[in-house]
Amino acid sequence: LAAAEFLAVDWGTTNRRVYAIGADGAVLATERDDRGVLAVERGAFPSEAAAIRARFGDVPMLCAGMVGSTRGWVEAPYLPCPAGLAALAAGLHWIDERTAIVPGLSVIDGKRGDVMRGEEIQLLGAVTAALAPHDALLCQPGTHCKWARMDDGRVASFRTTMTGELFAMLGKHSLLADFMHGAVHDGAAFGAGLDAAADGALLSPLFGARAGVLLGRMVQEDVAAYVSGLLIGSDVREQKLVRGEQVHILADPELGRLYATAITQAGGATKVIDSHAAFVAGIAAIWKEHHALA
Amino acid sequence: LAAAEFLAVDWGTTNRRVYAIGADGAVLATERDDRGVLAVERGAFPSEAAAIRARFGDVPMLCAGMVGSTRGWVEAPYLPCPAGLAALAAGLHWIDERTAIVPGLSVIDGKRGDVMRGEEIQLLGAVTAALAPHDALLCQPGTHCKWARMDDGRVASFRTTMTGELFAMLGKHSLLADFMHGAVHDGAAFGAGLDAAADGALLSPLFGARAGVLLGRMVQEDVAAYVSGLLIGSDVREQKLVRGEQVHILADPELGRLYATAITQAGGATKVIDSHAAFVAGIAAIWKEHHALA
């Protein structure tokens, strides 16, 4: 096994992924586990980092994501948008001489504010790896879906939607919970949810899904896909896409396909790009920028 | 104390209200408790009814609301819209010779279906008591908000929105939960939520409320009112009111005022009417219709 030049840790709320990265930016080893920020006791981050080094190599480490929040290892202040890779490299928050946290980004636009932690690496990585153009609209579906406008290779502004969190909450805690056990795929029920959302509705068809089951107009197995269509369709509608607008989607293939269908129906064009490749390109570029700065 | 002619029980999921009603339709006594359907064990409804009679009088009883659902005493089938007081009286579901459940209403409109249980009494009562005209749009805010179109004194169709349930869920289970302890009143934060909703957004400003607090743009005490404005504003926007359209609101004064502000901002006109008076007028009219039929 070739020696890693540095380790990159995508350290989120629930999950964590470690990449051992070589001098040429290639991934030598990677591993995903559930040691997200919420699973790590306060004060236990140094020993977690030591354990990662014991497994992947005793080399420098860049951490990104919620690890830099108040609930994480140490709080790394947000950098204001617009911000690019050079700003992230210059803003690395060093815990010791070989362990740093990548800052998150913030945007303040009139009365509106927004924040991200971790997603910025994928966004900027996608552009630096030419997976998306320097001026682009990027979408990262998930618990909190990010819609980012790139301008000249930097994150110009972004908007977060609570789409995935609402879906999970409805499936666990709402009066629809008992009905939301079905699989979500890009089929007729998902499309019916998109149709209702395109009509400008969300709060009414949500209840309608329950009524539909009670009245025998909808089978229970379709409820989860319908609700997913409603939420993703509403998410896309809120972005007010211009007809023909190209959206680059950073997601796993399954969720990426649902968003692609919703965006296409709303008149946009889509390209799904590999979010892991984007992350690796982004973090490798930050590492390189850091050394250029140093 | 004058003897009641019959007892009316507004028996919902969480709460229950009993009215002892005299021969002239006047309320002789009333009591609200938390013995809603979910608090009553299956099989315990007869003894609950006996306890009510022991307190209010050993007379006939009409029950309305979720007591007629699968989880209630016995299931009373939905009557299809359009439906008026005569149809409800004819459709009373008798458990024994002096205890009946008022059926709920359903609407099927193309692929859309909707249901209500209990609200129909207030809607039809408002019209029969001349609190609202025979052709009107009525709004009943709550966990599940009902928007009903009355035509010639009957419920022609209706639409349910999951507004109150979503608000409660966000306050308990979302990443906003820690911030939603503030009071909700018709002030600047509520208005800011309405503004964001009027712009067609919901999923993005929901997350924005958290970001606003993290970035020091919003005080935590305002989050609940802002989220309430977002949800109620979205609810009203989905109704696509015609400019100047009159909405009769059946609600307690506090919630009624929030909806009135949202409806006014959306270009509608409002009148808040007394939902208890409407319920009593409705159930008394059903009782009278039943005797006219018998």
Side-chain angles (χ1 to χ4, degrees):
Chain A
L1 194 73
E5 177 157 320
F6 74 103
L7 306 179
V9 188
D10 188 0
W11 208 328
T13 303
T14 313
N15 296 304
R16 182 175 69 178
R17 185 181 280 276
V18 179
Y19 301 85
I21 298 184
D24 57 354
V27 176
L28 306 175
T30 183
E31 192 179 279
R32 182 173 186 269
D33 62 29
D34 59 0
R35 302 291 298 157
V37 163
L38 292 183
V40 177
E41 305 231 343
R42 287 174 200 278
F45 285 93
S47 61
E48 288 285 329
I52 290 171
R53 285 196 168 98
R55 292 205 301 283
F56 291 92
D58 194 22
V59 293
M61 183 187 294
L62 297 184
C63 304
M66 292 305 283
V67 68
S69 71
T70 47
R71 179 57 191 81
W73 191 345
V74 293
E75 193 177 357
Y78 297 107
L79 291 186
C81 283
L85 287 165
L88 289 181
L92 285 175
H93 191 92
W94 291 91
I95 294 170
D96 58 41
E97 67 278 4
R98 52 184 208 143
T99 312
I101 293 181
V102 184
L105 298 183
S106 66
V107 64
I108 290 176
D109 174 11
K111 282 188 288 186
R112 196 180 72 79
D114 213 327
V115 292
M116 65 167 63
R117 278 198 193 278
E119 295 92 345
E120 63 285 347
I121 316 274
Q122 283 185 20
L123 296 170
L124 293 162
V127 169
T128 204
L131 298 169
H134 279 224
D135 299 276
L137 174 59
L138 271 65
C139 171
Q140 290 165 294
T143 302
H144 299 138
C145 177
K146 304 287 179 188
W147 293 82
R149 297 221 168 252
M150 311 299 288
D151 180 14
D152 198 18
R154 299 187 302 169
V155 182
S157 72
F158 61 90
R159 206 174 264 281
T160 308
T161 46
M162 216 191 248
T163 316
E165 182 176 352
L166 265 191
F167 182 78
M169 224 167 42
L170 288 164
K172 261 189 223 158
H173 302 295
S174 79
L175 93 168
L176 287 171
D178 289 345
F179 297 166
M180 281 177 64
H181 45 74
V184 175
H185 61 271
D186 182 12
F190 181 76
L194 291 184
D195 289 343
D199 196 36
L202 173 58
L203 299 172
S204 159
L206 274 179
F207 186 87
R210 177 174 171 83
V213 172
L214 293 177
L215 295 171
R217 316 282 297 174
M218 187 183 287
V219 296
Q220 282 194 29
E221 287 66 29
D222 280 349
V223 172
Y226 179 79
V227 170
S228 174
L230 263 178
L231 288 168
I232 293 177
S234 297
D235 186 349
V236 171
R237 179 173 46 72
E238 287 188 20
Q239 307 312 316
K240 299 179 181 169
L241 299 177
V242 176
R243 181 150 288 276
E245 190 163 13
Q246 173 87 26
V247 182
H248 287 78
I249 305 171
L250 285 152
D252 67 75
E254 222 165 315
L255 188 55
R257 183 167 166 192
L258 297 177
Y259 267 79
T261 299
I263 291 165
T264 304
Q265 168 160 334
T270 61
K271 192 181 162 193
V272 177
I273 56 186
D274 181 333
S275 54
H276 295 292
F279 180 86
V280 171
I283 203 78
I286 290 169
W287 178 251
K288 209 168 140 189
E289 285 276 353
H290 163 65
H291 282 278
L293 289 170
Chain B
L1 193 74
E5 178 158 320
F6 74 103
L7 306 179
V9 188
D10 189 0
W11 209 326
T13 303
T14 313
N15 296 304
R16 182 175 69 177
R17 185 181 279 276
V18 179
Y19 301 85
I21 297 183
D24 57 353
V27 176
L28 307 175
T30 184
E31 194 178 277
R32 183 172 185 269
D33 62 28
D34 59 0
R35 303 289 299 156
V37 163
L38 293 183
V40 177
E41 306 230 345
R42 286 174 201 278
F45 285 93
S47 61
E48 288 285 328
I52 291 171
R53 283 196 169 98
R55 293 204 302 283
F56 291 92
D58 194 22
V59 293
M61 183 187 293
L62 297 184
C63 304
M66 292 305 283
V67 67
S69 70
T70 46
R71 180 57 190 81
W73 192 343
V74 292
E75 193 177 356
Y78 297 107
L79 291 185
C81 283
L85 287 165
L88 289 182
L92 286 175
H93 190 92
W94 292 92
I95 294 170
D96 57 42
E97 68 278 4
R98 53 185 208 141
T99 312
I101 293 181
V102 184
L105 299 182
S106 66
V107 63
I108 291 176
D109 173 11
K111 283 187 287 186
R112 194 180 73 81
D114 213 327
V115 292
M116 65 166 63
R117 280 199 192 276
E119 294 93 345
E120 64 285 345
I121 318 273
Q122 284 186 18
L123 296 171
L124 293 162
V127 169
T128 203
L131 299 170
H134 280 223
D135 300 275
L137 173 59
L138 272 65
C139 170
Q140 290 165 295
T143 302
H144 300 138
C145 177
K146 305 286 178 187
W147 294 82
R149 297 220 169 252
M150 311 299 288
D151 181 13
D152 198 17
R154 300 187 301 169
V155 182
S157 72
F158 61 90
R159 206 175 264 280
T160 308
T161 46
M162 216 192 246
T163 316
E165 182 177 351
L166 264 191
F167 182 79
M169 223 166 44
L170 288 164
K172 261 190 224 159
H173 302 294
S174 79
L175 94 167
L176 287 171
D178 289 346
F179 296 166
M180 280 178 64
H181 46 73
V184 175
H185 61 270
D186 183 12
F190 181 76
L194 290 184
D195 289 342
D199 196 35
L202 173 57
L203 300 172
S204 159
L206 274 179
F207 186 88
R210 177 175 171 83
V213 172
L214 292 178
L215 295 172
R217 316 282 298 174
M218 188 183 287
V219 294
Q220 283 194 28
E221 287 64 30
D222 280 349
V223 172
Y226 179 78
V227 170
S228 174
L230 263 179
L231 287 169
I232 293 177
S234 297
D235 186 350
V236 171
R237 179 173 44 73
E238 288 189 19
Q239 308 311 317
K240 299 179 180 169
L241 299 177
V242 176
R243 181 149 289 276
E245 190 164 13
Q246 173 86 28
V247 182
H248 287 78
I249 304 171
L250 285 153
D252 67 76
E254 222 165 316
L255 188 55
R257 183 168 167 190
L258 297 178
Y259 267 79
T261 299
I263 291 166
T264 304
Q265 168 160 335
T270 60
K271 192 181 162 194
V272 177
I273 57 185
D274 181 334
S275 54
H276 295 293
F279 180 85
V280 171
I283 202 79
I286 290 169
W287 178 251
K288 209 169 141 188
E289 285 276 353
H290 163 65
H291 282 278
L293 289 171

